[in-house]
Amino acid sequence: MIKRSLNGDKTMGFFKTIKEDIRTVFERDPAAKSTLEVLLCYPGLHCIIMHRVAHFLYRKKRYVLARFISHINRFLTGIEIHPGAVIGRRVFIDHGHGTVIGETAEIGDDVTIYQGVTLGGTGKEKGKRHPTIGNNVVISTDAQVLGAIVIGDNSKIGAGSVVLQDVPPNCTVVGIPGRVKVRRDPTTGIDLEHNKLSDPMADIINDLNARISKLEEEIEKLKGNNK
């Protein structure tokens, strides 16, 4: 069960939510030097703030105005978020250019998203058709998460991965299509080291190589005993 407070501006004042979003930038980007720099130079923050406005209007059924703000958001930041998407608190989109988040996507708290990520659909069906992302998830560069699937809390999606099925909590996903491997203890908090991902397929191949080497050694021993 994924527990999160989706749309931080529901539980906090709008400006308090912005302050929390600014603190999040400092916590996850060591390049951030000052509040003024973050306010002026971080498109990931700009797109979140504009999305919160667009989503508020979308909930009020001001669909055209909401979509227009979303369109401006994309033009200014290079990040496309449908105003219907639900985004939790302390979500950080790092750089973010080329990121696309679909209408029925849901993103939990403390999620980190890098550039080129797609949270997309897989068909023309109505209703829920985009991913649900749990808390403390890291989605690395150019990852594609497609369909009405659930990414469990504390999971990490490797760069360039294509994820088409549900991912349990506390897992790493790598490859095309994405392959799941249990990753870590969730109590360690947000893990931004998305360059340190093991490949479950490579692990299987390495295990097979080790077993083959062992079998070859045993065969050589048997040959020696039979001489």
Side-chain angles (χ1 to χ4, degrees), residues 70-81:
S70 174
H71 184 70
I72 294 173
N73 195 359
R74 180 180 63 176
F75 177 78
L76 293 176
T77 67
I79 301 166
E80 181 173 351
I81 309 177

Side-chain angles (χ1 to χ4, degrees), residues 12 15-29 32 35 38 45 89-90 92:
M12 302 174 63
F15 290 104
K16 287 184 178 179
T17 303
I18 293 176
K19 288 182 179 179
E20 188 176 59
D21 291 334
I22 293 170
R23 286 197 302 271
T24 298
V25 175
F26 283 105
E27 290 169 0
R28 297 188 215 165
D29 187 358
T35 300
V38 170
L45 175 65
R89 295 169 57 185
R90 299 177 299 277
F92 178 46

Side-chain angles (χ1 to χ4, degrees), residues 14 21 43-53 73 81 87-88 91-93:
F14 180 73
D21 291 334
L45 175 65
H46 302 158
C47 78
I48 290 292
I49 293 172
M50 293 183 70
H51 171 73
R52 296 200 192 285
V53 174
N73 195 359
I81 309 177
I87 295 180
V91 172
F92 178 46
I93 301 179

Side-chain angles (χ1 to χ4, degrees), residues 24 31-33 36 41 59 97 108 113 115 117 120 145 148 161 184 190 197 205 207 211:
T24 298
K33 299 297 188 295
L36 182 61
C41 305
R59 293 203 314 267
H97 196 276
I113 299 173
Q115 64 268 24
V117 166
V145 186
S161 298
R184 65 181 181 89
I190 300 172
L197 299 177
I205 293 171
D207 183 59
R211 294 176 66 182

Side-chain angles (χ1 to χ4, degrees), residues 50 54 57 62-75 83:
M50 293 183 70
L57 293 169
R62 305 288 183 88
Y63 298 125
V64 175
L65 182 56
R67 287 300 300 270
F68 183 65
I69 292 174
S70 174
H71 184 70
I72 294 173
N73 195 359
R74 180 180 63 176
F75 177 78

Side-chain angles (χ1 to χ4, degrees), residues 120-130 146-148:
T122 55
K124 298 180 180 179
E125 69 276 7
K126 299 289 186 179
K128 178 65 172 170
R129 60 190 184 279
H130 298 97
L146 306 176

Side-chain angles (χ1 to χ4, degrees), residues 206-222:
N206 290 335
D207 183 59
L208 287 173
N209 284 334
R211 294 176 66 182
I212 290 170
S213 297
K214 187 175 180 180
L215 287 172
E216 287 176 342
E217 289 175 4
E218 292 179 357
I219 290 171
E220 291 299 321
K221 288 179 181 178
L222 288 174

